[in-house]
Amino acid sequence: MENVLLSVRHLRKVFGEHAIFEDFNLDVHKGEVVVIIGPSGCGKSTLLRCLNGLEPIQGGEILLDGEKVLRDETSITKMRQKIGMVFQSYELFPHKTILDNILLAPMKVQKRPRAEVEAEALELLQKVGLADRRDDYPRQLSGGQKQRVAIVRALCMHPEILLLDEITAALDPEMVREVLEVVLSLAKAGSTMVIVTHEMNFARAIADRILFIENGEVVEESADPKAFFASPTTDRAKDFLKSFDYE
Amino acid sequence: MDFAVMKDYLPRFWDALLLTLKIGWQGVLLALVLGVACAVVVHLKIPVLRRIVGAYIELFRNTPLLVQLFFLYFALPKIGIRISAQACGCLGLGLLGGAYMAETFRSGLENIAPIQTESAQSLGMNPAQVFGYVILPQAVTSSVPGLLANLIFLLKETSVFSTISLMDLMFTAKDLIGMYAKTIECLTLLVIFYLVMLLPVSILGSFLERRLRYAEFGN
Amino acid sequence: MQSLGIDVLFKGTNFLRLLGGLWVAVRISLISVAISIALGIVVGMLMTAKSRVLKVIFRVYLEIVRIMPQMVLLFVVYFGTTRVFGWNLNAETAAIFVFSFWGTAEMGDLVRGALQSIPAIQHESAQALGMNPLQVYGYVILPQTVRRLIPLSINLITRMVKTTSLVMMIGIVEVLKVAQQIIEANRRTAPNAAFGVFAVVFLLYFLICWPISRLAGYLEKRWS
């Protein structure tokens, strides 16, 4: 297919003796939202970290725009500018204001002029309802607000694809919605995303494609999330989904 | 207590204070520079250099300043290295302080969670940018209380300068006691002058520490 | 090549004398540390008390220790108090008094920090199990602070050993003083002996303090 944006071929990742992935393959198309679910320890987060070069890989390759990503410092740094990542624990920089958090990388890494980035940052902050907090420091914000800022910070780099690693897992329940709504609006606007989450309702609402992963393998894959959640075909997916019910 | 005598002694104590401060701040400055440099070497795990820096830190943290000064001032000239008493004071304080400052900065650097580095990397920063924009500023801020504690410690340590014939507060007190036997007056002045020198630093330290602990970045 | 003094140390009992001098400093340190730890635990527990008077007293005490050089305290006690009160204080007693005064404050503050680092909910959950205050401290709170305190107490030993080098200034014949005497006695035959002798003193201090601080560091890492 020609509109494949990110492609993982024969990925192999081991921690010491323990293999996370033996031969993992994944294609993400432009404008597609891929949601990855699965039990803890199945390698979901590790996959995102491999995609962004935060974990060394022991085999296989990752292609971005059909171009192979080399593992040397320069190409990884370049690749990371095209791949945005949002972490579970937000990881805003505590010594910088909200606005400076957002401006830092576009200005220092991409060398874009301040005025341009600032205008864009403020517009995005406005969209996520945080324009009035631009001069606050991260510690003055709630978890949900910090996570929205982290998303804006990633967006300001104009990434071609966004990786969201359990971005609501550390949030109080009442803050989950405000963050997920931002992600939903991004999906509507056509952003390409790979999302790891435990929010099943959210997964059903946003996914173009669902991957259920266990032990480093895709157990079930579905381009119809509603059908997948209503009646998964594999027993393992059934068991996993059942663990979210109390009936 | 003979206040007239104390008044007579004041100028000598004042000069001694100035000398202590002069050598003190030069030594502290040297300690800061040395400390940052060593902490960066250890943190970035630069080969060979980190071993040397490690040995230096251990050596100077585990010996008394008095012995270090004796070595610099009395021993080195015997192998042809002659350093003036004042330079010895600066150098001794700087070397001792550098070892302490290095440890403070290093633990400041280590206290920053690795995921902060990853978060900066994921924005496309190269290692120098990650270090300069994200890690170092946080490490310096979290080191401030430790640095101030070191500052007080170093200024206190200047009291051993008298042993290499520097006319600091301690030397002046001893000298005057030896000459005129006005022990109580001299010791009172000695205590007062150390209070004048160190109480402001100590108060500033507690103030900054409280601010940093309860309100770091913001408020 | 002229002698740099190492050989001087092997003449007669010179090296033994040097070690004897070192022992004087170490002995003063150990006695002071023992007193400091015992008193420090009491002071630390008192510091967590709610009494405002106690708080002010300990605050002043800590601040004095924090900003007065130990050498000044030595002089005040050894030369000052003997003059004011007219008592006869030998130098070693004065030194032990000053270093214990200093060490108790340090130790007390460490104990206070360790006690306060135990979350209040630990007190409450112990109380909820029906324990009385003594049991709460004995079974729940103190055991949790011990692991934190042991490395810090060991560290206090090295700091004490380093500080006791100052006792030379009030006339106690410890290692530096012995070193000076040896250098002086051999001035004619080995004029450069100061280099070797002071280098050895430097090394001796390092050999005592380094293993102790390594041990403290190791325990701290292991138990944290």
Side-chain angles (χ1 to χ4, degrees):
Chain A
M1 245 192 267
E2 58 169 311
N3 67 338
V4 170
L5 183 61
L6 181 80
S7 167
V8 181
R9 304 265 165 84
H10 311 298
L11 172 71
R12 187 176 136 76
K13 168 75 200 167
V14 292
F15 281 120
E17 299 280 281
H18 180 57
I20 308 286
F21 298 111
E22 285 292 358
D23 179 11
F24 189 87
N25 295 284
L26 171 69
D27 281 338
V28 181
H29 303 92
K30 215 161 260 173
E32 191 183 26
V33 177
V34 176
V35 175
I36 299 172
I37 60 172
S40 323
C42 71
K44 299 171 304 216
S45 291
T46 310
L47 176 64
L48 293 194
R49 292 168 57 83
C50 290
L51 293 182
N52 206 9
L54 293 174
E55 293 284 348
I57 58 176
Q58 283 71 40
E61 55 185 27
I62 294 167
L63 295 108
L64 185 66
D65 280 334
E67 214 176 299
K68 193 176 167 191
V69 176
L70 300 170
R71 306 306 283 188
D72 67 290
E73 199 62 54
T74 335
S75 28
I76 284 199
T77 308
K78 214 179 254 164
M79 175 196 71
R80 283 177 180 144
Q81 294 177 39
K82 297 186 189 168
I83 304 182
M85 182 148 179
V86 182
F87 297 83
Q88 176 181 340
S89 47
Y90 343 118
E91 298 307 322
L92 298 181
F93 305 130
H95 59 301
K96 294 200 172 290
T97 62
I98 299 309
L99 188 62
D100 287 340
N101 257 281
I102 302 170
L103 298 187
L104 181 64
M107 283 173 57
K108 301 295 183 188
V109 177
Q110 295 179 326
K111 317 277 181 208
R112 284 155 58 194
R114 185 186 175 98
E116 177 209 314
V117 191
E118 193 172 321
E120 186 186 349
L122 289 174
E123 197 191 316
L124 285 167
L125 278 176
Q126 188 81 47
K127 271 191 193 151
V128 302
L130 291 171
D132 54 329
R133 311 304 296 269
R134 50 179 283 184
D135 294 322
D136 286 343
Y137 283 89
R139 59 177 295 280
Q140 296 165 290
L141 269 56
S142 73
Q145 292 171 329
K146 275 189 259 198
Q147 199 58 294
R148 282 182 274 160
V149 172
I151 294 171
V152 169
R153 184 175 71 173
L155 286 177
C156 257
M157 293 291 287
H158 302 154
E160 295 177 17
I161 179 168
L162 262 184
L163 311 177
L164 307 183
D165 185 9
E166 307 220 25
I167 58 167
T168 57
L171 297 179
D172 289 337
E174 70 269 24
M175 290 172 182
V176 170
R177 176 166 274 277
E178 65 189 45
V179 172
L180 294 185
E181 269 168 4
V182 171
V183 182
L184 274 169
S185 71
L186 288 176
K188 273 193 197 119
S191 303
T192 314
M193 290 188 275
V194 179
I195 301 174
V196 167
T197 187
H198 273 117
E199 297 283 335
M200 292 305 144
N201 290 328
F202 169 65
R204 178 166 40 207
I206 201 170
D208 294 320
R209 188 148 54 106
I210 291 264
L211 295 187
F212 172 65
I213 297 185
E214 202 175 55
N215 300 327
E217 290 170 354
V218 178
V219 175
E220 187 168 345
E221 181 173 351
S222 167
D224 185 353
K226 289 199 176 64
F228 170 79
F229 283 104
S231 54
T233 54
T234 58
D235 289 341
R236 277 144 85 189
K238 265 181 209 153
D239 287 346
F240 175 70
L241 289 178
K242 216 182 272 169
S243 68
F244 289 88
D245 292 333
Y246 290 99
E247 288 150 26
Chain B
M1 200 130 46
D2 189 340
F3 289 104
V5 169
M6 281 170 76
K7 206 174 151 233
D8 286 345
Y9 289 169
L10 262 183
R12 283 207 54 187
F13 272 93
W14 181 249
D15 287 345
L17 178 71
L18 292 183
L19 181 77
T20 305
L21 284 177
K22 182 182 154 207
I23 303 175
W25 89 261
Q26 289 171 348
V28 167
L29 203 67
L30 179 63
L32 273 175
V33 174
L34 212 54
V36 173
C38 290
V40 171
V41 165
V42 173
H43 184 72
L44 298 182
K45 303 198 169 71
I46 298 173
V48 186
L49 214 51
R50 76 188 266 226
R51 304 254 163 229
I52 299 171
V53 165
Y56 151 68
I57 292 175
E58 292 296 333
L59 195 60
F60 278 82
R61 277 178 67 93
N62 286 298
T63 44
L65 178 61
L66 188 58
V67 176
Q68 293 165 14
L69 282 182
F70 269 46
F71 187 76
L72 289 175
Y73 190 67
F74 297 116
L76 284 186
K78 304 295 180 192
I79 56 165
I81 304 170
R82 246 164 253 283
I83 310 170
S84 75
Q86 278 202 25
C88 270
C90 286
L91 195 61
L93 202 64
L95 286 171
L96 174 81
Y100 278 82
M101 298 285 189
E103 283 293 284
T104 307
F105 279 123
R106 191 186 56 82
S107 72
L109 286 168
E110 271 177 10
N111 279 339
I112 297 161
I115 194 165
Q116 276 279 313
T117 303
E118 296 181 349
S119 145
Q121 284 173 343
S122 77
L123 290 167
M125 292 188 205
N126 65 32
Q129 290 169 328
V130 172
F131 192 73
Y133 296 131
V134 177
I135 305 303
L136 198 61
Q138 292 188 57
V140 167
T141 316
S142 75
S143 306
V144 166
L147 294 183
L148 279 160
N150 286 347
L151 177 63
I152 294 172
F153 163 71
L154 289 177
L155 288 176
K156 270 165 76 171
E157 287 285 299
T158 58
S159 59
V160 306
F161 284 170
S162 58
T163 55
I164 55 168
S165 330
L166 280 171
M167 300 222 277
D168 73 333
L169 291 170
M170 206 66 222
F171 185 95
T172 305
K174 264 192 308 190
D175 195 35
L176 289 171
I177 291 172
M179 281 195 292
Y180 308 108
K182 297 277 187 193
T183 312
I184 303 305
E185 288 78 3
C186 281
L187 288 177
T188 308
L189 280 170
L190 182 67
V191 168
I192 291 173
F193 270 82
Y194 270 109
L195 276 178
V196 168
M197 179 163 85
L198 287 167
L199 200 55
V201 185
S202 173
I203 291 169
L204 177 75
S206 321
F207 171 75
L208 276 180
E209 199 176 334
R210 218 169 304 145
R211 262 195 76 95
L212 282 169
R213 190 180 309 152
Y214 298 116
E216 51 186 339
F217 310 116
N219 285 357
Chain C
M1 179 85 189
Q2 263 186 313
S3 152
L4 283 177
I6 306 287
D7 52 324
V8 170
L9 287 173
F10 290 105
K11 269 204 304 201
T13 57
N14 279 350
F15 194 66
L16 278 180
R17 280 178 60 208
L18 206 61
L19 288 182
L22 196 61
W23 171 240
V24 171
V26 172
R27 187 180 62 210
I28 295 175
S29 312
L30 291 179
I31 296 172
S32 307
V33 167
I35 297 173
S36 300
I37 289 176
L39 291 180
I41 291 173
V42 178
V43 166
M45 287 175 75
L46 288 175
M47 279 163 133
T48 61
K50 294 205 167 55
S51 154
R52 187 168 295 176
V53 181
L54 279 180
K55 274 211 167 85
V56 172
I57 292 174
F58 285 125
R59 179 93 207 108
V60 172
Y61 172 35
L62 279 185
E63 197 65 9
I64 290 173
V65 168
R66 202 161 110 102
I67 65 180
M68 270 305 135
Q70 287 89 339
M71 183 115 93
V72 174
L73 294 177
L74 269 181
F75 268 58
V76 168
V77 170
Y78 186 61
F79 297 113
T81 65
T82 45
R83 183 61 74 94
V84 174
F85 304 113
W87 58 37
N88 218 338
L89 196 60
N90 77 41
E92 198 165 323
T93 314
I96 290 172
F97 178 82
V98 166
F99 294 136
S100 303
F101 179 77
W102 166 65
T104 300
E106 296 272 333
M107 192 65 202
D109 205 36
L110 296 177
V111 171
R112 179 197 55 78
L115 286 175
Q116 286 177 346
S117 73
I118 308 287
I121 192 95
Q122 284 281 321
H123 284 266
E124 292 163 7
S125 70
Q127 282 163 356
L129 291 169
M131 293 188 197
N132 65 36
L134 215 64
Q135 290 168 323
V136 172
Y137 262 93
Y139 295 129
V140 181
I141 305 303
L142 286 180
Q144 293 188 60
T145 60
V146 166
R147 288 196 155 190
R148 178 185 289 248
L149 281 174
I150 287 177
L152 297 172
S153 317
I154 294 173
N155 244 333
L156 189 62
I157 301 177
T158 65
R159 295 170 58 201
M160 200 65 94
V161 170
K162 284 187 286 176
T163 310
T164 46
S165 61
L166 299 177
V167 296
M168 162 197 188
M169 305 302 293
I170 56 169
I172 294 179
V173 181
E174 48 64 77
V175 60
L176 271 175
K177 194 77 209 167
V178 175
Q180 282 181 328
Q181 289 170 350
I182 293 174
I183 293 163
E184 200 56 29
N186 294 280
R187 219 171 57 187
R188 275 162 211 282
T189 51
N192 290 336
F195 182 81
V197 174
F198 283 134
V200 167
V201 172
F202 200 129
L203 206 65
L204 283 175
Y205 264 105
F206 179 72
L207 288 178
I208 290 182
C209 293
W210 189 59
I212 304 177
S213 54
R214 284 300 290 258
L215 174 69
Y218 168 76
L219 290 178
E220 206 168 336
K221 212 169 258 174
R222 225 189 108 170
W223 286 347
S224 68

